Amino acid sequence: MNMFKMDVLSSTLQFSTSHLSSTTTSTIVALCVFFALLCACIIIGHLLEETRWANESITALLLGLCSGLVVLLVTKFRSIDILTFSEDLFFIYLLPPIIFNAGFKIEKKLFFRNFNYILLFGVLGTVISFCLISLGAFLLINRTGIANLDIKDILAIGAILSATDSVCTLQVLSQEETPLLYGIVFGEGVVNDAMSIVLFNSVQSLNFSTINAVTALELLGTFLYLFCTSTVLGIVVGLLSAYLIKTFYFGRHSTDREVALMMLMAYFSYMIAELLELSGILTIFVCGIVMSHYTWHNVTENSRITTKHSFATISFISETFIFLYVGMDALDIDKWKTSIASVGTLIAVSSTFIALVLIGRASLVFPIANIANCFMTRENTRIEFRSQFVIWWAGLMRGAVTIALSCNQFLISEVTSTEDSALMITSTITLVLFSTMVFGSITKPLIEVVQLRHSRQTVSDSNDYHDELRLLFLNGDDSINETMDEPLQRRTRLSLMMRYPATTVHYYWRQFDYKFMRHIFGGRDLVPVVPGTPLGED
């Protein structure tokens, strides 16, 4: 009887092993390789924390390149598809946690204090960059010997090359020493990613068989529709999560349910946006801001600590994984073999991409900053030339979003030839590698030379600035009503609205938020107390 049981168990194990080997062994091997590289990247990044020339993004990219080179040598220059690139892997699993965490951990005061600049650089600047790069691609790309790109491909290139990656710069800038510059670079970087994807989706949704003025209006209308509806959807889902957690008070039984509901609702906003063919990136970013303002304050103390570190950890792992994958995918021999273009053509196209990025970035940063300075009366809100240079430099790096959009456009293109599509992808990879390795490696020493330490904006200056506006905006104060008549008070408020639009809007929003929104959706100072916790005992 025992021998029979042993035979059955042995046959069962053999069947399980053979079944596993035939279906999932390659996936397990690939994941083991990437997990080992992730651990190595974290350790090396920790050891190189104080170095001037490297950061975690560059470390991950170098590890990916080295691993790809090793596999390439071991396989004797055959295909090295350890983990095949998938748009679903990037856009559904890796990118959403990064964007959500960016919105969730954002310093809202710093973000909305610099909201004028963020809108100018992130929205208007991205549109300007899109137009200039598309025009430059239309005039220059065909001269390199590529004749099969249609107008949709050209506009797609404009959207692809407009997606910046300011991670290297943000790792160098200090939020305490340069809050104005940090807020602008961070806010513009996140908004730029969303805007680039919205522009890319707008281009994909239109038919360019007949190009006229109506086509341009349709492109603008599609862009505005995607932008507005995605923003509204993010706000609705974020408020819904706050209302549910505040109403049902899950923390009285289990804090795990609060954490799970927050994560699921955040991901739900992204999936609903994708299902409705909206911009999931913009939706989940806005949802992150709303959830950090309302939902996060409705959960218990333990849940707040857990969600804060959980979102940051998942985002960090996803970001490192992306850079590792980009490094390994850059040495995919099949992509380079498919492109039959000569080395000179590859260098010409890649150099054109780099030149378009440099010129397009300069054409939006310096004019916008100098025009904005004409309307800024306070010295600590003006962007001096040194800071303009840092903002320009921060937008030169390109990352995973650029590669993902390029693969989305050219891997499935029915018009562009296979050879030209492969050339576009390899040129994009070359741009990403060059900008990250060259521009990113000299970011830290360059900023240390350029940025003046004594010219930083202090917190006290900012607080005094807002205190002055609060005094001017006091409503119902008898002392003010006695000293000034109503027309003069209205003129004062109107002039302040003209001079400080973002601050003025923020003031009225806070009044509305305190009087109405927080009573419905909760928020700060309304944290539930669970018996048995330190707060409950107090």
Side-chain angles (χ1 to χ4, degrees):
M1 187 67 177
N2 291 334
M3 291 297 295
F4 176 74
K5 291 182 178 179
M6 291 295 293
D7 292 339
V8 173
L9 180 60
S10 177
S11 61
T12 303
L13 290 176
Q14 290 177 0
F15 173 77
S16 300
T17 304
S18 62
H19 177 70
L20 180 64
S21 299
S22 62
T23 56
T24 60
T25 300
S26 59
T27 303
I28 292 177
V29 171
L31 292 177
C32 286
V33 170
F34 274 92
F35 288 162
L37 291 175
L38 283 172
C39 295
C41 184
I42 293 173
I43 296 173
I44 296 175
H46 172 72
L47 297 176
L48 298 178
E49 184 70 26
E50 302 299 329
T51 187
R52 297 179 56 185
W53 305 99
N55 52 51
E56 289 174 345
S57 302
I58 298 176
T59 303
L61 197 60
L62 284 175
L63 279 177
L65 286 172
C66 293
S67 303
L69 182 61
V70 169
V71 176
L72 196 65
L73 294 175
V74 170
T75 58
K76 298 180 179 179
F77 294 90
R78 293 195 302 268
S79 176
I80 59 168
D81 286 337
I82 294 181
L83 188 63
T84 306
F85 180 84
S86 171
E87 295 176 29
D88 293 339
L89 173 66
F90 179 79
F91 284 104
I92 297 182
Y93 300 108
L94 297 178
L95 191 58
I98 299 174
I99 302 300
F100 175 78
N101 184 66
F104 187 79
K105 74 175 185 179
I106 194 172
E107 288 287 341
K108 291 182 290 296
K109 290 183 179 179
L110 189 62
F111 182 82
F112 289 104
R113 186 183 304 160
N114 303 315
F115 196 63
N116 291 338
Y117 285 127
I118 292 173
L119 282 183
L120 288 174
F121 290 117
V123 178
L124 179 61
T126 304
V127 174
I128 294 175
S129 175
F130 165 74
C131 295
L132 291 177
I133 293 177
S134 298
L135 179 61
F138 177 76
L139 297 176
L140 298 177
I141 291 296
N142 290 334
R143 297 186 179 183
T144 61
I146 303 175
N148 294 323
L149 297 181
D150 60 0
I151 187 63
K152 179 175 285 190
D153 291 329
I154 295 295
L155 293 176
I157 290 174
I160 291 168
L161 299 187
S162 297
T164 64
D165 190 349
S166 55
V167 174
C168 295
T169 307
L170 288 174
Q171 291 176 348
V172 176
L173 292 177
S174 172
Q175 185 173 347
E176 290 74 23
E177 294 182 352
T178 54
L180 176 64
L181 186 58
Y182 184 92
I184 293 175
V185 172
F186 175 76
E188 186 226 348
V190 177
V191 174
N192 170 269
D193 283 344
M195 290 295 300
S196 300
I197 296 175
V198 169
L199 284 171
F200 183 83
N201 292 338
S202 301
V203 171
Q204 299 301 310
S205 62
L206 293 181
N207 182 13
F208 292 92
S209 57
T210 56
I211 303 175
N212 48 37
V214 178
T215 306
L217 293 177
E218 289 179 353
L219 180 61
L220 177 61
T222 304
F223 168 76
L224 294 176
Y225 167 75
L226 291 175
F227 183 83
C228 296
T229 51
S230 301
T231 302
V232 171
L233 180 60
I235 294 174
V236 170
V237 176
L239 292 178
L240 178 61
S241 68
Y243 181 78
L244 290 175
I245 290 180
K246 178 177 180 293
T247 302
F248 293 103
Y249 187 20
F250 296 95
R252 67 171 176 257
H253 296 305
S254 172
T255 57
D256 296 337
R257 294 172 182 170
E258 291 181 321
V259 177
L261 187 61
M262 286 188 66
M263 291 184 175
L264 292 175
M265 290 294 289
Y267 200 74
F268 178 72
S269 68
Y270 181 84
M271 298 309 297
I272 287 295
E274 292 297 317
L275 184 63
L276 298 177
E277 297 183 352
L278 304 177
S279 174
I281 299 302
L282 181 58
T283 298
I284 200 171
F285 173 68
V286 174
C287 182
I289 295 178
V290 175
M291 291 181 71
S292 68
H293 188 68
Y294 295 109
T295 312
W296 190 70
H297 295 285
N298 292 339
V299 301
T300 58
E301 180 187 15
N302 293 334
S303 297
R304 285 188 292 142
I305 297 174
T306 302
T307 52
K308 180 180 179 181
H309 292 290
S310 297
F311 292 147
T313 302
I314 296 173
S315 173
F316 171 76
I317 294 175
S318 300
E319 191 171 330
T320 308
F321 187 93
I322 288 174
F323 277 101
L324 277 173
Y325 181 81
V326 168
M328 295 191 70
D329 190 65
L331 294 180
D332 184 359
I333 198 66
D334 287 342
K335 289 187 176 67
W336 301 91
K337 287 181 177 179
T338 305
S339 176
I340 60 176
S342 63
V343 177
T345 302
L346 175 63
I347 295 176
V349 176
S350 302
S351 301
T352 302
F353 283 177
I354 295 173
L356 291 176
V357 168
L358 291 169
I359 297 174
R361 184 67 182 171
S363 300
L364 73 93
V365 170
F366 297 106
I368 288 179
N370 285 284
I371 292 174
N373 285 340
C374 297
F375 298 93
M376 298 297 173
T377 57
R378 292 180 61 89
E379 232 11 82
N380 56 3
T381 59
R382 295 168 63 88
I383 305 178
E384 59 179 8
F385 179 77
R386 294 173 182 265
S387 298
Q388 294 177 26
F389 181 85
V390 174
I391 296 173
W392 171 73
W393 186 268
L396 296 181
M397 274 71 80
R398 295 297 182 268
V401 175
T402 301
I403 291 182
L405 293 180
S406 179
C407 293
N408 185 305
Q409 173 65 25
F410 294 107
L411 282 180
I412 60 176
S413 178
E414 298 178 356
V415 178
T416 309
S417 64
T418 305
E419 295 80 9
D420 289 343
S421 297
L423 177 60
M424 291 293 100
I425 295 175
T426 52
S427 299
T428 304
I429 293 175
T430 305
L431 168 66
V432 171
L433 293 177
F434 180 85
S435 62
T436 304
M437 301 296 296
V438 177
F439 296 153
S441 61
I442 62 178
T443 294
K444 188 171 184 177
L446 182 66
I447 290 180
E448 288 179 352
V449 173
V450 171
Q451 191 62 35
L452 291 178
R453 295 293 181 181
H454 64 270
S455 63
R456 66 193 185 194
Q457 176 190 6
T458 60
V459 178
S460 59
D461 293 337
S462 179
N463 290 337
D464 295 339
Y465 165 61
H466 285 280
D467 288 339
E468 293 176 7
L469 291 176
R470 289 193 189 98
L471 290 175
L472 290 174
F473 278 119
L474 284 175
N475 290 318
D477 194 330
D478 295 336
S479 61
I480 293 182
N481 291 333
E482 290 175 0
T483 56
M484 60 168 44
D485 55 3
E486 186 176 357
L488 179 60
Q489 190 174 2
R490 286 181 178 176
R491 285 197 300 270
T492 304
R493 292 178 181 176
L494 181 60
S495 62
L496 285 170
M497 178 75 77
M498 298 291 292
R499 294 174 61 185
Y500 313 108
T503 306
T504 308
V505 172
H506 181 251
Y507 170 80
Y508 284 119
W509 157 248
R510 290 186 63 184
Q511 298 298 313
F512 176 76
D513 186 32
Y514 286 131
K515 291 180 180 179
F516 301 101
M517 297 294 289
R518 296 199 179 191
H519 292 285
I520 302 174
F521 301 104
R524 191 183 298 273
D525 302 327
L526 297 172
V527 182
V529 177
V530 177
T533 63
L535 289 177
E537 294 174 359
D538 294 339

